[in-house]
Amino acid sequence: MSKLWGGRFTKTAEEWVDEFGASIGFDQNLVEEDIQGSLAHVKMLGKCGIVSEEEAETITKGLQTLLERARKGELEYSVQNEDIHLNIEKFLIDEIGPVGGKLHTGRSRNDQVATDMHLYLRKQIEEISSEIKNLQGALLEQAKQHVETIIPGYTHLQRAQPVSFAHHLLAYFWMLERDFSRYQDGLKRVNISPLGAGALAGTTFPIDRHYSAELLGFDGIYENSLDAVSDRDFIIEFLASSATLMMHLSRLCEEIILWSSQEFRFIELDDTFATGSSIMPQKKNPDMAELIRGKTGRVYGSLFSLLTILKGLPLAYNKDMQEDKEGMFDAVTTVKGSLKIFTGMISSMTVRTDVMEKAVHSDFSNATELADYLASRGMPFRDAHEVVGKLVLHCIQKDMFLLDLPFADYKEASELFEEDIYDVLQPKTVVARRNSAGGTGFEQVKIAIEKAEKLV
Ligand code: ARG
């Protein structure tokens, strides 16, 4: 089969060489966008009188037929035609005859592939954004059920201060809100048209780039033709946003894995989001959370791979850039899949309030409260810290917690202690009193829930 660009060649490559160079194996993913871009391009060619109205119409009809055939899975792509662009052009010529060859007037595969990817990412970012909102909704629903459920808060994975479980979940809600806004911000640079930049330098034909951009719903056009065909920043930004999102998900995965262990038992995952062991009958493994934590690595990999691919490239297009696609596709699949699984996993998990309750009553996470108590009665905080530190040590030696310690021991430690310390030390009181803006106090958590409600 002769190549669409074969004129200058006297020999044809062997099939295995063609296979190595082809991208059709993966860029067939862009078929919808490729045809969409061509439809706008040919409409512009017709409007500008570069092809006749009649030719434009024939080409348009041919492209529409191809779109239908593509959707039915009827197109049989060939490695001989290298990539999605040449495959579609070949199908078009087969479909409508030599007039199909006019479609490529005033454009190059270089602005074409860039256009395809801008269109593709715009759509994917919209879908991912709505998946983020779904997950935020699931976190918010759980949070609403657990404003007054208290869990130990940790620093260094050591019990630190008790917090509302809702507050903990909402921390992830706000991370996801940043992820959402990062993607949205990226959209501004995704939604710009490279179409009409040609191979690198523009074209001799009197094209109207603004018109084709408008037809495709782009907000504007690239100002510089060299930049238009060699820019992949918008994919890098997408991958960076995705890597950050996955990092957030991965951190929550880690907590879910810990919380569902026998050591914590704070939550139980629904059976549908866990798996068993082929040998140990008692096992219920948090596989989905582990898998998402693991998949974070491949998204980081795609980001790094693209940065590396681009770093030494001279202007403008270089074939290296064909390597931009698989990582991008993989990140899209990974991010969408992970978000969807996560939403199900969060909505269906059981929160073991009884275990959490027991946990916050069997630790020293109320110790700061005691130091604050002394400090608010005039003792310098540093001295109060020392007094309470000694009391904690005393408790450890007696194998008890602060709430169990007899009042006489408190009095001995400091004259400033009154009987009300036993109320002050209750985990509920401890949490409620952290009523500073953005803190875990129940009032603050309720305010946060109201704010969050407006964002889902
Ligand atoms: N398959 C190519 C890619 O993905 C399309 C652009 C090819 N352009 C070229 N001049 N060879 O990058």
Side-chain angles (χ1 to χ4, degrees), residues 35 60 73 102 125 139 176 183-184 191 248 267 299 318 333 345 378 442:
I35 296 178
T60 300
K102 294 204 170 192
I125 289 174
L139 287 165
L176 288 167
Y183 279 118
Q184 292 300 310
N191 207 28
H248 290 152
I267 60 161
V299 177
N318 300 269
T333 311
M345 192 163 64
F442 303 123

Side-chain angles (χ1 to χ4, degrees), residues 23 27 82-83 85 108-110 113 232 317-319 321-325:
S23 53
D27 67 12
E82 216 177 305
D83 55 26
H85 325 295
S108 150
R109 275 187 294 159
N110 298 348
V113 69
R232 295 295 182 269
Y317 178 82
N318 300 269
K319 184 77 165 183
M321 290 162 81
Q322 181 165 289
E323 289 291 309
D324 61 1
K325 283 172 204 61

Side-chain angles (χ1 to χ4, degrees), residues 67-85:
L67 189 57
E68 277 161 36
R69 285 176 56 199
R71 285 178 179 161
K72 288 189 200 138
E74 283 173 12
L75 297 182
E76 278 188 32
Y77 301 112
S78 120
V79 164
Q80 280 297 301
N81 290 320
E82 216 177 305
D83 55 26
I84 188 65
H85 325 295

Side-chain angles (χ1 to χ4, degrees), residues 145-151 163-167 351-354 356-357 428 431 442:
Q145 307 302 311
H146 294 288
V147 174
E148 304 220 347
T149 302
I150 300 172
I151 54 161
V163 292
S164 151
F165 187 51
H167 192 56
V351 179
R352 312 197 59 154
T353 49
D354 54 331
M356 292 176 172
E357 171 89 8
K428 252 203 171 121
V431 174
F442 303 123

Side-chain angles (χ1 to χ4, degrees), residues 208-224:
D208 183 346
R209 289 188 63 204
H210 291 282
Y211 182 66
S212 52
E214 196 187 306
L215 290 174
L216 291 169
F218 285 123
D219 295 326
I221 64 169
Y222 274 86
E223 295 297 337
N224 179 299

Side-chain angles (χ1 to χ4, degrees), residues 361-385:
H361 279 92
S362 19
D363 64 23
F364 291 98
S365 62
N366 47 3
T368 312
E369 204 61 20
L370 215 50
D372 287 351
Y373 180 97
L374 292 176
S376 65
R377 278 160 185 73
M379 187 183 287
F381 184 80
R382 202 38 65 212
D383 297 341
H385 188 288

